[in-house]
Amino acid sequence: MFKEDEIKRIEEREKEWLKRIEGVKERKARFETYSGIPIKQLYTPADIRDHNYLEDVGFPGDAPFVRGVYPTMYRSRFWTIRLFSGYGTPEDTNKRWKLLYEEGETGFSAAVDVLTFNGIDPEDPRADVEVGTEGVPLYCIDSMYALTEGLPIDKISVALVVEPFSSAPVCAMYFNMAKGRGIDIRKLMGTCQNDILTMTCGFVPFESVPPDQMLRLACDLIEWCVPEKNVPKWHPINFTTYNYREGGIDAIQELGFGFANAITHIDELIERGWKVDDFVNRLAFHLSAHKDFFEEIAKYRAARRIWYKLMKDKYEAKDPRSYEFRFHIQTAGSSLTAQQPMVNIIRTAFQALAAVLGGCQSMHTNSYDEAICLPSEEAVRLALRTQQVIQEETGVADTIDPLGGSYYVEWLTDEIEERVWKYLDKMTEAGGNVVKLLENGWLYKEMADAFHKRQRAVDEGEERVIGVNCYLSREEEPPIVFRTNEKAGEIERERLRRLKERRDNRKVEELLDKLRRACDKGENVMPAVMDATAAGATLGEVCNVYREVLGTWNPPIVI
């Protein structure tokens, strides 16, 4: 972008400037990003001397999509405000959704409780945890009716935060509920996580199926949703790199895990006979907005270019929509502290700003009390207002990619991209696709090493955290308590009892047998799951068929 003689003059002047500041004492001996990328004192055109603007950066909505996936970005439409919500009973979460909707939320998201996550009904003898304390319990189709009562789910997108083991039954219940309300499911908008790495690296699963079977179930849902006759506007998978990042990995590893995961699913679907353009534009991503402001912005820009190159060079996609890397972000829960919790408001605001400057399509902002309890109404309203202030008062959305052209941001975007490609090569050498890397324990070792490294940095004061290892408060912190519905377990068990009383139990057993045969023969499970849940089969009943036929797996977790 710059003439060579001009670059040479800049380099000469930079040498003079560096000589002038020799011996000036700086705050630290070494400056680096959160991911360990060294940071110079100053960046100039010389640092991006090899840039070809049209090929390496381009325009919004044009290849390589560094500046955004849509031509006018937020000048036409703001990102979706989608707060992660779920607690108590479906009725409790419905009340929270209505509050947020009335306050200006533009997308719903259901965090599920631990039993829903693991595919267990509350009356199961293995269910020795509380119901509805970590999210909303969704054990049957009746729960879906209660969750969505009085809400315009035909006009607003809904995210169901469930993984491959429970995605098919939970989504099937949602789709069947919509049909029961007279809604054409072909018009339903939304997503489910359906992410095998969240089910393994992000959280420790309970009696889940082996990784190759999780991949199978995830891809079954993808290929069932995509055809026009089913749910073509649904995103049947959301590669949730946010959840891996919460375990301590850095920005490079976050993108590496996410893209390797996506590649594994794409390859599986192509092996099944699909063409990449048939489905890839329905794949979505859920990234973290972490602590390092500029690194996170550069991460999002680099991710769009990496995806473009993957689609163009590796998969030779023809449909322009296949090149678009669309993503939701969540501000970093792991950055929140129980000490001085009001400071979390500030952390969240800066992380949200980075996500906007990086061009996200949808966002969840954490509530300030989430390091202590489930979000209170006051806290969740402030989290919502954080995004609305950015939209309405800051002006940062008035021009597209406002940090594009920053010598530092452009250099850092290039550096992150290069490091991610190298990390993907490292993953290939370690075992290949993510199924193999789960089976041989490599991913668990990466997660464990990253966690211990980060913990040491905080313990030793290398990574400064206000309220934890610096600027400690002398005053006792005021208690923050939000209590969930203590009767949730009783209510949900009664809901299931009433369902089983009124349903045709013989028909349910016949349909569960149909599911057993589909599992055993390697057929797509979704048609059988749709029929079974429509007849009243519960989440636990469906997932127990998976366990029975597909087996269970103990991950090689590294401590």
Side-chain angles (χ1 to χ4, degrees):
M1 291 194 293
F2 300 92
K3 295 179 180 178
E4 192 57 35
D5 58 344
E6 180 68 12
I7 291 292
K8 288 179 180 177
R9 284 199 299 274
I10 290 170
E11 288 178 325
E12 288 300 317
R13 290 291 298 274
E14 184 178 10
K15 288 177 184 175
E16 294 174 10
W17 178 80
L18 287 170
K19 192 169 184 180
R20 204 163 66 240
I21 64 170
E22 274 182 8
V24 175
K25 185 174 176 58
E26 296 187 326
R27 289 184 290 109
K28 295 189 287 188
R30 173 185 170 86
F31 288 81
E32 60 182 30
T33 71
Y34 194 82
S35 300
I37 300 172
I39 304 173
K40 299 195 312 178
Q41 292 108 324
L42 185 72
Y43 290 83
T44 73
D47 293 289
I48 53 172
R49 67 195 304 158
D50 297 326
H51 260 205
N52 179 311
Y53 178 80
L54 293 178
E55 291 183 8
D56 298 326
V57 182
F59 287 87
D62 290 347
F65 301 97
V66 173
R67 307 202 71 178
V69 290
Y70 301 124
T72 55
M73 289 297 288
Y74 306 138
R75 286 173 67 97
S76 294
R77 181 179 177 274
F78 286 127
W79 62 92
T80 300
I81 299 177
R82 187 190 308 281
L83 267 59
F84 193 52
S85 307
Y87 68 93
T89 66
E91 288 85 356
D92 293 328
T93 298
N94 174 268
K95 183 180 177 182
R96 177 63 60 88
W97 277 11
K98 286 177 177 174
L99 166 73
L100 292 168
Y101 185 59
E102 289 167 2
E103 296 284 358
E105 182 177 52
T106 54
F108 298 131
S109 179
V112 300
D113 74 349
V114 68
L115 294 179
T116 305
F117 181 88
N118 286 289
I120 298 173
D121 291 338
E123 72 267 31
D124 191 307
R126 297 168 296 182
D128 61 351
V129 296
E130 294 181 31
V131 169
T133 53
E134 303 87 1
V136 59
L138 298 175
Y139 309 135
C140 64
I141 192 170
D142 289 2
S143 304
M144 287 298 182
Y145 278 102
L147 176 68
T148 59
E149 178 63 35
L151 292 168
I153 61 169
D154 56 334
K155 297 182 178 65
I156 189 168
S157 62
V158 173
L160 300 173
V161 186
V162 282
E163 307 313 331
F165 194 57
S166 51
S167 280
V170 170
C171 287
M173 292 171 192
Y174 183 78
F175 300 153
N176 282 320
M177 173 276 300
K179 286 182 177 182
R181 292 196 189 282
I183 297 170
D184 183 350
I185 66 170
R186 292 175 298 177
K187 297 179 180 178
L188 287 179
M189 299 174 292
T191 185
C192 54
Q193 278 188 185
N194 196 26
D195 178 357
I196 68 175
L197 290 191
T198 291
M199 191 76 189
T200 51
C201 291
F203 298 93
V204 178
F206 174 80
E207 291 193 7
S208 182
V209 296
D212 61 331
Q213 297 300 328
M214 273 192 275
L215 176 65
R216 170 199 168 177
L217 294 175
C219 290
D220 280 358
L221 181 59
I222 296 169
E223 69 174 1
W224 184 86
C225 287
V226 165
E228 286 294 326
K229 65 180 181 179
N230 291 331
V231 201
K233 293 186 177 181
W234 193 259
H235 293 282
I237 194 166
N238 213 316
F239 297 104
T240 311
T241 68
Y242 170 85
N243 285 332
Y244 336 149
R245 185 75 186 271
E246 287 292 276
I249 61 174
D250 62 31
I252 310 304
Q253 292 170 305
E254 179 190 352
L255 292 187
F257 278 38
F259 286 125
N261 199 6
I263 288 167
T264 297
H265 287 71
I266 293 169
D267 290 348
E268 168 68 16
L269 287 160
I270 289 174
E271 196 171 309
R272 293 186 183 196
W274 291 82
K275 294 180 180 177
V276 70
D277 289 322
D278 293 337
F279 64 87
V280 81
N281 73 305
R282 303 315 301 159
L283 310 186
F285 289 79
H286 174 170
L287 276 60
S288 174
H290 219 274
K291 294 166 67 170
D292 192 317
F293 188 77
F294 287 109
E295 182 173 72
E296 293 302 290
I297 294 167
K299 178 185 77 178
Y300 305 133
R301 301 173 88 249
R304 285 192 288 268
R305 190 159 62 200
I306 292 168
W307 184 255
Y308 166 72
K309 290 178 180 179
L310 273 174
M311 291 302 108
K312 177 175 176 288
D313 300 333
K314 180 177 175 63
Y315 293 108
E316 300 180 347
K318 302 296 188 293
D319 188 338
R321 295 177 303 167
S322 300
Y323 298 141
E324 298 172 358
F325 181 82
R326 296 183 298 274
F327 62 96
H328 169 81
I329 77 93
Q330 182 171 348
T331 56
S334 59
S335 72
L336 305 184
T337 62
Q339 302 91 335
Q340 302 181 36
M342 302 304 282
V343 175
N344 293 331
I345 300 172
I346 305 164
R347 294 184 176 107
T348 295
F350 280 114
Q351 291 164 13
L353 181 60
V356 172
L357 294 174
C360 72
Q361 277 62 67
S362 169
M363 189 190 318
H364 164 84
T365 31
N366 287 321
S367 299
Y368 67 81
D369 52 2
E370 287 191 45
I372 302 167
C373 61
L374 287 168
S376 61
E377 284 192 9
E378 176 198 34
V380 79
R381 189 179 282 109
L382 272 171
L384 177 65
R385 293 286 183 259
T386 300
Q387 295 194 48
Q388 291 168 332
V389 166
I390 295 173
Q391 287 183 348
E392 306 295 347
E393 297 186 17
T394 64
V396 297
D398 291 349
T399 192
I400 304 163
D401 187 31
L403 291 182
S406 157
Y407 307 130
Y408 176 46
V409 170
E410 296 293 359
W411 174 85
L412 189 54
T413 300
D414 294 347
E415 183 69 17
I416 288 173
E417 180 189 353
E418 182 180 349
R419 289 180 179 233
V420 171
W421 286 119
K422 288 178 179 177
Y423 193 73
L424 285 168
D425 289 340
K426 180 180 177 181
M427 295 179 81
T428 300
E429 292 167 5
N433 67 30
V434 296
V435 169
K436 296 287 196 307
L437 295 174
L438 287 169
E439 291 172 342
N440 67 21
W442 187 87
L443 286 172
Y444 293 103
K445 187 175 187 308
E446 288 289 284
M447 293 286 291
D449 289 348
F451 173 80
H452 293 309
K453 176 184 176 183
R454 192 61 55 198
Q455 191 61 52
R456 280 195 305 273
V458 173
D459 291 344
E460 295 170 6
E462 180 185 344
E463 180 180 331
R464 290 165 67 81
V465 182
I466 291 170
V468 175
N469 60 14
C470 62
Y471 305 111
L472 307 183
S473 175
R474 294 187 180 89
E475 299 177 5
E476 185 177 338
E477 300 293 343
I480 298 176
V481 178
F482 175 77
R483 299 193 185 281
T484 188
N485 190 336
E486 294 179 359
K487 295 184 178 179
E490 178 184 332
I491 292 169
E492 293 311 305
R493 291 183 186 93
E494 176 62 18
R495 194 191 308 274
L496 289 179
R497 187 191 65 77
R498 292 197 307 267
L499 170 71
K500 290 177 179 179
E501 273 189 357
R502 77 165 193 272
R503 73 184 187 182
D504 183 337
N505 286 298
R506 178 178 291 181
K507 182 179 179 182
V508 169
E509 282 303 321
E510 290 172 355
L511 292 171
L512 290 173
D513 281 338
K514 178 183 173 184
L515 176 59
R516 285 185 182 90
R517 291 192 296 273
C519 289
D520 188 51
K521 294 178 180 178
E523 297 172 353
N524 191 305
V525 300
M526 269 303 288
V529 174
M530 284 290 291
D531 290 343
T533 54
T538 68
L539 174 69
E541 288 171 331
V542 170
C543 291
N544 282 338
V545 171
Y546 293 163
R547 293 182 177 101
E548 173 192 332
V549 181
L550 306 178
T552 57
W553 181 66
N554 292 316
I557 296 173
V558 177
I559 304 300

